[in-house]
Amino acid sequence: MLKRKKISIGSLALLLVLAFTVGIGWQGFAERFLEAPPPAEPRPVLARGDLAAVEKSTIELFRKVSPAVVFITTLSRHRDWFSLNVQEIPRGTGSGFIWDDSGHIVTNLHVVQGSNAAKVTLYDHSTWDAKLIGAAPEKDLAVLRIKAPRNKLMPIAIGSSGDLQVGQKAFAIGNPFGLDQTLTTGVISALGREMESAARIPIRNVIQTDAAINPGNSGGPLLDSAGRLMGVNTAIYSPSGTYAGIGFAIPVDTVNWVVPELIAKGRVERPTLGIELLPARAMANMRVEGAVILRVIPGSGAEQAGLRGVQRDSLGRIYLGDIIVAVEGQPVLDADDLVLALERRQAGEKIQVQVIREEQRLDIEVTLGSPA
């Protein structure tokens, strides 16, 4: 379009009358009083220069690790009451990562819990049926397996969480809101957090990060700057249910002993002391710190070590049993602490149990028994 000079409507009309009066016509009027628009050309591109070193390392991290991250779709079966056909309907989505080249996939238990089936989509967008191999409700971890060719399976590199520091860079890769292969960055905000698992047993030493974690990120990896796994993204703290700057990840040191147990046995097996504990409600009423032994199982390591349960005399008076207050120097404040103290122990192993008996502290060696 022609661009008009800034003239009033009245002036424009007068000029047109004059133009036709003197015989120059519209073309002459346009050439004399209107100007052509400037040529429409793109702006020149400013040379950027090289990427910053931190950008290059982040790009390389994503390029290297993203093939190990998978997209998980869970399915539930529903029967059509008119046709009686059974259909699989998508139930939810989540993330996971490749553990080994045998096709084992690690994710959160809550990603697959309650579903009838699951499908795993790899980085090349190929989709595979997944089978649940094992689950640990007390750690919110699950292992699936897919039968994909080994050349499609790129296991994640394993790091450590015992030497992490607040302020260290953190990278999360997952599928928030079903958007696959999404990278978010941040730092480790805090260490040593505690959260409750589905089994109502606390998960300890949880990592807190401000790397954006949203619904769909669950089960995906939290990585260090070397691209190694340092945790499994499992939950967010948010009044709205979306990212609010606080996310939590199960530490890799926990993952690295739980997952082999799930692959081998389908569950985490803890050895037993051979005791039954006083119920938590009774403990709360008594305001006693520790785990009170209610009953010692006959033939168990606890019986052989001489541990005592609650007793009643001939007059009906009740005497409190031994109160376990430490295992191998690890404080025991309640039953959950005792469960956690037996993690990674083996049946047949001898451990030192400290109890309070008649206001005296005793150290007793107990041989652990096989899980029920």
Side-chain angles (χ1 to χ4, degrees), residues 272-283:
T272 62
L273 281 170
I275 58 174
E276 292 180 9
L277 298 178
L278 203 64
R281 182 176 298 178
M283 288 287 296

Side-chain angles (χ1 to χ4, degrees), residues 23-215:
I24 63 173
W26 167 254
Q27 184 175 356
F29 171 79
E31 290 176 352
R32 185 168 299 183
F33 298 105
L34 300 179
E35 63 180 7
E41 296 180 355
R43 292 281 307 278
V45 176
L46 180 66
R48 184 201 183 283
D50 202 6
L51 293 173
V54 65
E55 293 176 298
K56 288 182 178 180
S57 63
T58 301
I59 292 168
E60 177 60 20
L61 180 146
F62 181 75
R63 185 197 65 79
K64 183 175 68 173
V65 181
S66 59
V69 182
V70 304
F71 180 49
I72 299 173
T73 304
T74 57
L75 307 169
S76 59
R77 294 191 181 99
H78 291 270
R79 182 182 296 276
D80 187 316
W81 293 108
F82 294 99
S83 66
L84 299 182
N85 292 331
V86 176
Q87 296 178 325
E88 287 187 337
I89 298 175
R91 182 177 178 274
T93 60
S95 304
F97 54 88
I98 300 170
W99 181 258
D100 56 29
D101 61 6
S102 295
H104 291 109
I105 308 294
V106 176
T107 187
N108 286 142
L109 176 59
H110 76 257
V111 170
V112 296
Q113 196 168 30
S115 61
N116 300 112
K119 292 184 181 294
V120 169
T121 301
L122 301 180
Y123 70 99
D124 63 355
H125 298 102
S126 62
T127 300
W128 305 83
D129 292 331
K131 177 183 178 182
L132 180 64
I133 298 298
E138 66 275 25
K139 299 297 181 186
D140 194 19
L141 290 172
V143 175
L144 309 175
R145 189 178 185 188
I146 60 175
K147 294 182 178 180
R150 288 181 184 270
N151 62 357
K152 289 181 176 287
L153 300 171
M154 301 182 186
I156 202 162
I158 303 299
S160 61
S161 51
D163 56 355
L164 295 178
Q165 300 180 61
V166 173
Q168 189 173 328
K169 291 287 285 182
F171 303 83
I173 302 179
N175 304 280
F177 305 107
L179 302 171
D180 65 335
Q181 299 290 303
T182 298
L183 170 70
T184 56
T185 66
V187 297
I188 295 175
S189 305
L191 295 167
R193 297 300 195 208
E194 183 174 300
M195 57 184 294
E196 189 177 77
S197 68
R200 299 190 177 278
I201 296 174
I203 305 173
R204 292 188 173 158
N205 298 318
V206 170
I207 303 165
Q208 180 183 325
T209 180
D210 68 346
I213 297 173
N214 280 297

Side-chain angles (χ1 to χ4, degrees), residues 261 265 267-273 345-348 368-372:
E261 288 267 309
K265 305 171 185 176
R267 61 176 183 168
V268 173
E269 292 186 345
R270 291 183 176 85
T272 62
L273 281 170
R345 303 284 179 182
Q346 302 294 325
L368 296 175
S370 299

Side-chain angles (χ1 to χ4, degrees), residues 164-372:
L164 295 178
Q165 300 180 61
V166 173
Q168 189 173 328
K169 291 287 285 182
F171 303 83
I173 302 179
N175 304 280
F177 305 107
L179 302 171
D180 65 335
Q181 299 290 303
T182 298
L183 170 70
T184 56
T185 66
V187 297
I188 295 175
S189 305
L191 295 167
R193 297 300 195 208
E194 183 174 300
M195 57 184 294
E196 189 177 77
S197 68
R200 299 190 177 278
I201 296 174
I203 305 173
R204 292 188 173 158
N205 298 318
V206 170
I207 303 165
Q208 180 183 325
T209 180
D210 68 346
I213 297 173
N214 280 297
N217 270 111
S218 291
L222 187 68
L223 307 160
D224 63 17
S225 57
R228 305 179 310 160
L229 180 71
M230 61 180 178
V232 178
N233 299 319
T234 189
I236 58 174
Y237 178 81
S238 170
S240 65
T242 56
Y243 175 64
I246 299 178
F248 299 103
I250 302 166
V252 66
D253 290 353
T254 297
V255 177
N256 206 16
W257 72 263
V258 170
V259 169
E261 288 267 309
L262 298 183
I263 292 173
K265 305 171 185 176
R267 61 176 183 168
V268 173
E269 292 186 345
R270 291 183 176 85
T272 62
L273 281 170
I275 58 174
E276 292 180 9
L277 298 178
L278 203 64
R281 182 176 298 178
M283 288 287 296
N285 293 334
M286 293 170 56
R287 297 181 181 178
V288 174
E289 285 191 350
V292 178
I293 300 176
L294 175 64
R295 186 175 77 92
V296 174
I297 298 173
S300 66
E303 184 186 52
Q304 294 170 11
L307 291 179
R308 299 179 185 176
V310 173
Q311 298 177 0
R312 187 190 298 267
D313 65 15
S314 58
L315 298 177
R317 290 175 297 192
I318 295 176
Y319 295 89
L320 206 60
D322 289 341
I323 305 172
I324 299 175
V325 293
V327 172
E328 290 291 331
Q330 180 177 336
V332 173
L333 300 180
D334 53 29
D336 289 341
D337 284 345
L338 182 58
V339 171
L340 295 172
L342 297 180
E343 285 185 345
R344 308 187 73 170
R345 303 284 179 182
Q346 302 294 325
E349 185 177 347
K350 298 180 185 296
I351 62 171
Q352 290 293 323
V353 177
Q354 188 175 83
V355 303
I356 295 178
R357 178 185 296 168
E358 298 174 356
E359 300 183 352
Q360 291 186 336
R361 286 182 179 262
L362 304 174
D363 290 315
I364 301 174
E365 186 179 75
V366 182
T367 301
L368 296 175
S370 299

